[in-house]
Amino acid sequence: MNSENEIKTIAWIGTGVMGRAMADHLLKAGFQLRIFTRTRAKAEPLLQSGAAWADAPADAAAGADAVISIVGDPKDVRETYFGANGVLSLERPPSLLIDMTTSEPSLAIEIADAARAKGAGSLDAPVSGGDVGARNATLSIMVGGAPDDFERALPMFRAMGRTILHQGDPGAGQHTKMVNQILIATGMIGVCEGLIYAQRAGLDPLRVIESVSTGAAGSWSVSHLGPRMIARDFEPGFYVEHFVKDLGIAVAEAERMGLDLPGLTLGRALYRRVEKAGGGRKGTQALFTALEELAASTSDSA
Amino acid sequence: MNSENEIKTIAWIGTGVMGRAMADHLLKAGFQLRIFTRTRAKAEPLLQSGAAWADAPADAAAGADAVISIVGDPKDVRETYFGANGVLSLERPPSLLIDMTTSEPSLAIEIADAARAKGAGSLDAPVSGGDVGARNATLSIMVGGAPDDFERALPMFRAMGRTILHQGDPGAGQHTKMVNQILIATGMIGVCEGLIYAQRAGLDPLRVIESVSTGAAGSWSVSHLGPRMIARDFEPGFYVEHFVKDLGIAVAEAERMGLDLPGLTLGRALYRRVEKAGGGRKGTQALFTALEELAASTSDSA
């Protein structure tokens, strides 16, 4: 890689729980960061660690070697890139634009096309691994875009994640993340139902988890979130409201491709039920409450 | 443990794929086996290794220290214990009766009551881990019954399994196995849907599994059965027809407890669809074909 191509200065957009931890790893790896985020207070720890502040995405991006964004939802991504003060309002944007938000595959393609028109490359690179993965730099990073751009981004990705895979053309990273969310949503239904069954049958559900988690029924969800459900600890690792957003994208994409996915449909309906009942800021394990309620209502009428 | 209580001779009922491998471990551990199974040919390898043959469950059980059964379904279990030549037709059955079939919790309680009336103890001890777990003696054994009987059975269980947990009163082992099957059925829907989505989106599904399996979407099912689905390898590790039987028990038990479990209901309906389409002797990963069909029919009408 020649020095002209080397990335030194990064415009970093978005410092939520994930973004803040990820940006911190880049600072520690020696990159220079120029930060924009909606609520400046959330960027303070990074500013104190040497990052510079910018008042808009375009200001952060002007003159930087790359942009990395990790914001709330597709609307925020659109604003970041296509807004009046967005990255692509610059006549000459940075040569590499990376969106790590979980967002729409079609929007990733739209950004890629617009970037290419201005001579820039772009990657969609959503992550999984949650706040713990962000803090420990053990994220799985799922990447769509041109192979050359993927290669250029690797030093940054390696500072933030462990499983880093190029999955295909623009949008492929987002599609891969949708697969991830489909697996989680459907698997979580089983975890909740299994534990509700265990409780109703008079079993010790923690002991049941010991019996079932080492074999064919084993999953990250049952081992990590099962015990929290039993303890009725619904503190967020990952917010229900963000998951509902992700599942909405998955359902829309599946429909667009003409796919009927009944498990995903059920998972989304149940998670929306949790959100409507005021659980949007609880963790995804709060799905347990929705299924408990369903079970109870059946039980009452029985 | 005094020598009077020690178990040396076991009546072993049922030598299917699981039973044969499990019985072999007991022979190697020094137990004497007296075998009855419906198709004598299936017992031949064990007879050649030193086990004795019996013409009926009662004949195998007469004078033995314990009985272990692992047969097809609850009807077979009932025949084994309550049939004309069943174990409980003996005036003095062995002092410990262990059913390792995946069967009905209520039947386990019925056997426990009948055994107690004849001065015998009993355990329900279904397993998970499949043929591989049976061969490698790494099964998870989920046990219901009296603690004393559990203690007495441990030397036998330790020859066959690795995760061996007492889960409660008679029926608790079966209930724990139902939790296991609920987790698998619902999780498998997600694995199928995720991979169908991945293929339709033009991704390389094996590469997608690499990205998603190390994090919160990870499960035994996606890591072990996902690649077989992609390869369209539907060879049985565990038969669809057996799984449909198990899910029928789980649904019936849930209904009896007044529980509405929509994921389990969906899983059972989809697995029955596979069976009706002639897939009863395929492996559980053949669920993929049912969901593909659903997806295709939607796609055609779109």
Side-chain angles (χ1 to χ4, degrees), chain A residues 170 205 224-225 237 239 276-277 280 295:
Chain A
H224 290 81
L225 299 180
Y239 288 132
K276 277 181 191 161

Side-chain angles (χ1 to χ4, degrees), chain A residues 140 165-167 175 180 186 190 193 197 200 207 210-211 217-218 220 253 257-258 260-264 295 298-299, chain B residues 140 165-167 175 180 186 190 193 197 200 207 210-211 217-218 220 253 257-264 295 298-299:
Chain A
S140 171
L165 286 168
H166 183 233
Q167 291 286 356
H175 275 309
N180 192 80
T186 314
E193 293 189 5
Y197 179 107
R200 187 66 70 92
R207 202 164 173 76
E210 276 189 80
S211 271
W220 188 95
E253 286 295 320
M257 299 190 286
D260 180 15
L261 302 178
L264 169 62
T298 316
S299 181
Chain B
S140 171
L165 286 167
H166 183 233
Q167 291 287 355
H175 275 310
N180 192 80
T186 314
E193 292 189 5
Y197 179 106
R200 187 66 70 94
R207 202 165 174 76
E210 277 189 79
S211 271
W220 188 94
E253 287 295 321
M257 299 190 284
L259 287 179
D260 181 15
L261 302 178
L264 169 61
T298 317
S299 180

Side-chain angles (χ1 to χ4, degrees), chain A residues 14-156:
Chain A
T15 55
V17 173
M18 299 292 292
R20 202 157 55 225
M22 292 157 71
D24 196 47
H25 290 303
L26 289 180
L27 277 176
K28 285 183 178 135
F31 293 96
Q32 283 160 22
L33 260 59
R34 301 160 62 167
I35 295 182
F36 170 77
T37 198
R38 270 190 306 212
T39 311
R40 180 171 170 151
K42 290 191 180 170
E44 277 305 331
L46 293 166
L47 300 178
Q48 282 168 24
S49 301
W53 175 254
D55 285 321
D59 295 342
D65 301 314
V67 173
I68 299 181
S69 56
I70 179 158
V71 294
D73 60 29
K75 187 174 48 61
D76 300 325
V77 174
R78 188 170 289 283
E79 182 67 21
T80 297
Y81 289 93
F82 296 112
N85 296 306
V87 171
L88 287 163
S89 70
L90 295 173
E91 202 162 320
R92 220 187 141 204
S95 60
L96 184 55
L97 315 180
I98 306 171
D99 181 36
M100 303 188 80
T101 316
T102 296
S103 171
E104 296 158 355
S106 57
L107 180 52
I109 294 168
E110 206 179 323
I111 293 171
D113 290 344
R116 193 180 309 114
K118 293 197 168 180
S122 80
L123 298 169
D124 49 301
V127 301
S128 81
D131 52 342
V132 176
R135 271 201 306 276
N136 299 338
T138 57
L139 294 169
S140 171
I141 308 179
M142 304 159 241
V143 189
D148 285 1
D149 292 325
F150 176 72
E151 292 296 328
R152 266 191 88 200
L154 272 177
M156 294 181 282

Side-chain angles (χ1 to χ4, degrees), chain A residues 105 128-129 140-143 150 163-168 171-184 186-198 200-204 207-222 249-250 253-254 257-266 270 291 294-296 298-300 302, chain B residues 105 128-129 140-143 150 163-168 171-184 186-198 200-204 207-222 249-250 253-254 257-266 270 291 294-296 298-300 302:
Chain A
S128 81
S140 171
I141 308 179
M142 304 159 241
V143 189
F150 176 72
T163 307
I164 301 157
L165 286 168
H166 183 233
Q167 291 286 356
Q174 296 298 350
H175 275 309
T176 302
K177 180 67 188 281
M178 289 303 120
V179 174
N180 192 80
Q181 304 305 63
I182 291 169
L183 287 167
I184 292 176
T186 314
M188 284 289 281
I189 300 171
V191 174
C192 295
E193 293 189 5
L195 296 179
I196 288 168
Y197 179 107
R200 187 66 70 92
L203 303 173
D204 171 352
R207 202 164 173 76
V208 170
I209 289 176
E210 276 189 80
S211 271
V212 303
S213 59
T214 57
S219 68
W220 188 95
S221 294
V222 72
I249 297 171
E253 286 295 320
M257 299 190 286
L259 287 179
D260 180 15
L261 302 178
L264 169 62
T265 305
L266 175 61
L270 290 168
L291 282 159
L294 266 180
T298 316
S299 181
D300 290 348
Chain B
S128 82
S140 171
I141 308 179
M142 305 161 241
V143 189
F150 176 72
T163 306
I164 301 157
L165 286 167
H166 183 233
Q167 291 287 355
Q174 297 298 350
H175 275 310
T176 303
K177 180 66 188 281
M178 289 304 120
V179 174
N180 192 80
Q181 304 306 63
I182 291 169
L183 288 167
I184 292 176
T186 314
M188 283 289 279
I189 300 171
V191 174
C192 295
E193 292 189 5
L195 295 179
I196 288 167
Y197 179 106
R200 187 66 70 94
L203 302 173
D204 171 351
R207 202 165 174 76
V208 170
I209 290 177
E210 277 189 79
S211 271
V212 303
S213 59
T214 57
S219 68
W220 188 94
S221 294
V222 72
I249 298 171
E253 287 295 321
M257 299 190 284
L259 287 179
D260 181 15
L261 302 178
L264 169 61
T265 305
L266 175 62
L270 291 168
L291 282 159
L294 266 179
T298 317
S299 180
D300 289 349

